């Protein structure tokens, strides 16, 4: 009896950290050499996101249950590279056609999906230096790395799905398995991969915060459009100095639900043991 009561208390107390720790993931999109100064698809001022992301990590590391880094990871003849299309140059858009299995076709017997594709300079080729994360970006062994865009025939702006929504990267399952309900998204580029990832996160049901100063866009007009669209879809656009207060409010909500949840297993046995022992 003594042993089982002791195990009971150990079990109850061991659940406290799990109930108290926030269900929050910090998602860092594509902070890779190819998108930084000197890279083939350098985002203007892209390097400015690095100290902001590193500061958020160092200040709130213990508040993020998961830190996720996505990595654009393309075959050398990727369909999104202008070099693979004779008549069209980079930064022009084309339409790609896919059959009902999600295989690219041209010509197609029947077109099942049309996917608009912006053509890019060659970038982030698998295993190249260009695809590596920036050296100064803080990283840990526990970071979750999500590679995307390695199917040569379809692009993948979002860290959740490819652009045709033919396949998942596995990120949603990883977040679900870790019981994540809130995500903070940062990185490059605001008007493409950050925008698509945040939009999918919100659609998948996560409370989504886009940390605006922790992100930079390829172009101003597409960045403005992306921000407007995200805001209208319920994504919270915030600055990095607002992250602390949001995490605090998530913690206090967790503390009150923890106290409530623990009332039954803690108070009832306590009262019972008082009654039994005649107090
Ligand atoms: C990206 C264009 C092409 C991005 C990736 O990370 O935003 N943009 N590939
Ligand atoms: Zn890419």
């Amino acid at each position: 009896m003594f042993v089982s009561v002791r195990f009971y208390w150990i079990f109850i107390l061991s659940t406290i950290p799990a109930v108290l720790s926030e269900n929050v993931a910090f998602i860092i999109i594509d902070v890779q050499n190819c998108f930084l100064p000197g890279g083939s698809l350098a985002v203007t001022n892209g390097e400015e996101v690095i100290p902001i992301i590193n500061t958020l990590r160092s200040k709130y590391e213990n508040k993020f249950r998961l830190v996720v880094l996505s990595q654009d990871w393309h075959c050398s003849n990727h369909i999104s590279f202008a070099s693979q299309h004779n008549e069209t140059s980079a930064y022009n858009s084309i339409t790609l056609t896919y059959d009902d299995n999600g295989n690219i076709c041209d010509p197609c017997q029947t077109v099942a999906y049309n996917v608009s594709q912006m053509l890019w300079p060659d970038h982030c080729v698998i295993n190249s230096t260009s695809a590596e994360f920036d050296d100064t970006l803080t990283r840990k062994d526990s970071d979750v790395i999500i590679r995307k865009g390695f199917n040569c025939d379809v692009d993948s702006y979002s860290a959740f799905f490819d652009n045709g929504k033919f396949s998942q990267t596995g990120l949603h399952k990883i977040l679900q398995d870790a019981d994540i309900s809130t995500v903070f998204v940062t990185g490059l580029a605001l008007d493409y991969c950050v925008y698509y990832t945040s939009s999918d996160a919100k659609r998948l049901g996560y409370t989504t915060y886009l940390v605006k100063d922790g992100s930079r866009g390829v172009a101003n007009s597409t960045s403005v459009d992306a921000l407007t669209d995200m805001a209208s879809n319920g994504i919270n656009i915030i600055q990095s100095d607002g992250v602390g207060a949001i995490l605090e409010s998530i913690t206090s909500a967790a503390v009150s639900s923890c106290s409530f949840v623990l009332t039954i297993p803690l108070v009832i046995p306590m009262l019972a043991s008082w009654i039994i022992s005649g107090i």
Side-chain angles (χ1 to χ4, degrees):
M1 177 63 186
F2 174 70
V3 172
S4 64
V5 167
R6 200 166 55 182
F7 275 117
Y8 177 81
W9 288 113
I10 291 170
F11 171 74
I12 291 299
L13 293 175
S14 69
T15 63
I16 294 177
V19 184
L20 270 180
S21 88
E22 299 75 4
N23 304 357
V24 178
F26 186 48
I27 302 183
I28 304 163
I29 299 294
D30 299 3
V31 182
Q32 296 166 259
N33 294 331
C34 42
F35 299 118
L36 291 164
S40 54
L41 185 37
V43 174
T44 310
N45 302 327
E47 73 284 7
E48 292 174 4
V49 305
I50 297 168
I52 292 170
I53 292 170
N54 287 346
T55 303
L56 285 175
R57 281 201 77 160
S58 66
K59 273 173 122 168
Y60 306 118
E61 189 76 57
N62 60 347
K63 302 267 183 185
F64 298 132
R65 187 172 291 174
L66 282 184
V67 176
V68 177
L69 285 90
S70 75
Q71 195 170 25
D72 216 32
W73 195 247
H74 293 313
C75 333
S76 55
N77 61 344
H78 194 259
I79 196 82
S80 73
F81 294 174
S83 60
Q84 302 302 306
H85 303 267
N86 291 332
E87 312 274 304
T88 326
S89 50
Y91 303 102
N92 282 300
S93 204
I94 61 168
T95 300
L96 300 174
T97 46
Y98 296 85
D99 65 19
D100 51 9
N101 293 317
N103 293 320
I104 197 151
C105 50
D106 181 20
C108 307
Q109 273 191 331
T110 338
V111 175
Y113 306 98
N114 284 297
V115 178
S116 163
Q117 176 68 58
M118 170 74 94
L119 296 181
W120 303 105
D122 292 15
H123 64 281
C124 301
V125 170
I126 294 173
N127 288 329
S128 67
T129 317
S130 134
E132 285 170 12
F133 294 114
D134 177 80
D135 279 347
T136 63
L137 184 70
T138 305
R139 295 184 45 210
K140 289 201 167 175
D141 289 345
S142 54
D143 293 348
V144 174
I145 310 284
I146 297 291
R147 289 181 168 158
K148 59 186 181 62
F150 47 80
N151 176 338
C152 309
D153 293 335
V154 63
D155 210 351
S156 185
Y157 292 152
S158 165
F160 290 97
F161 305 98
D162 65 61
N163 289 6
K165 293 243 161 72
F166 305 131
S167 63
Q168 298 214 24
T169 60
L171 177 57
H172 184 39
K173 169 99 174 53
I174 291 170
L175 298 182
Q176 281 181 314
D177 288 349
D179 207 15
I180 298 294
S181 54
T182 298
V183 298
F184 288 83
V185 187
T186 58
L188 303 171
L190 174 60
D191 36 359
Y192 291 94
C193 294
V194 170
Y195 170 41
Y196 277 63
T197 301
S198 307
S199 302
D200 281 342
K202 177 66 191 172
R203 262 193 294 268
L204 288 166
Y206 300 97
T207 302
T208 305
Y209 293 92
L210 179 273
V211 185
K212 191 177 163 197
D213 54 335
S215 186
R216 293 290 182 283
V218 170
N220 192 50
S221 69
T222 41
S223 297
V224 170
D225 291 349
L227 286 167
T228 309
D229 189 57
M230 286 190 275
S232 72
N233 284 315
I235 294 170
N236 306 291
I237 314 287
I238 58 161
Q239 297 291 332
S240 55
D241 62 7
V243 170
I246 294 162
L247 288 170
E248 281 305 314
S249 71
I250 295 172
T251 307
S252 358
V255 169
S256 38
S257 78
C258 175
S259 345
F260 178 74
V261 166
L262 288 177
T263 302
I264 296 166
L266 284 176
V267 173
I268 292 180
M270 208 181 284
L271 288 176
S273 63
W274 285 347
I275 291 164
I276 289 162
S277 60
I279 296 172

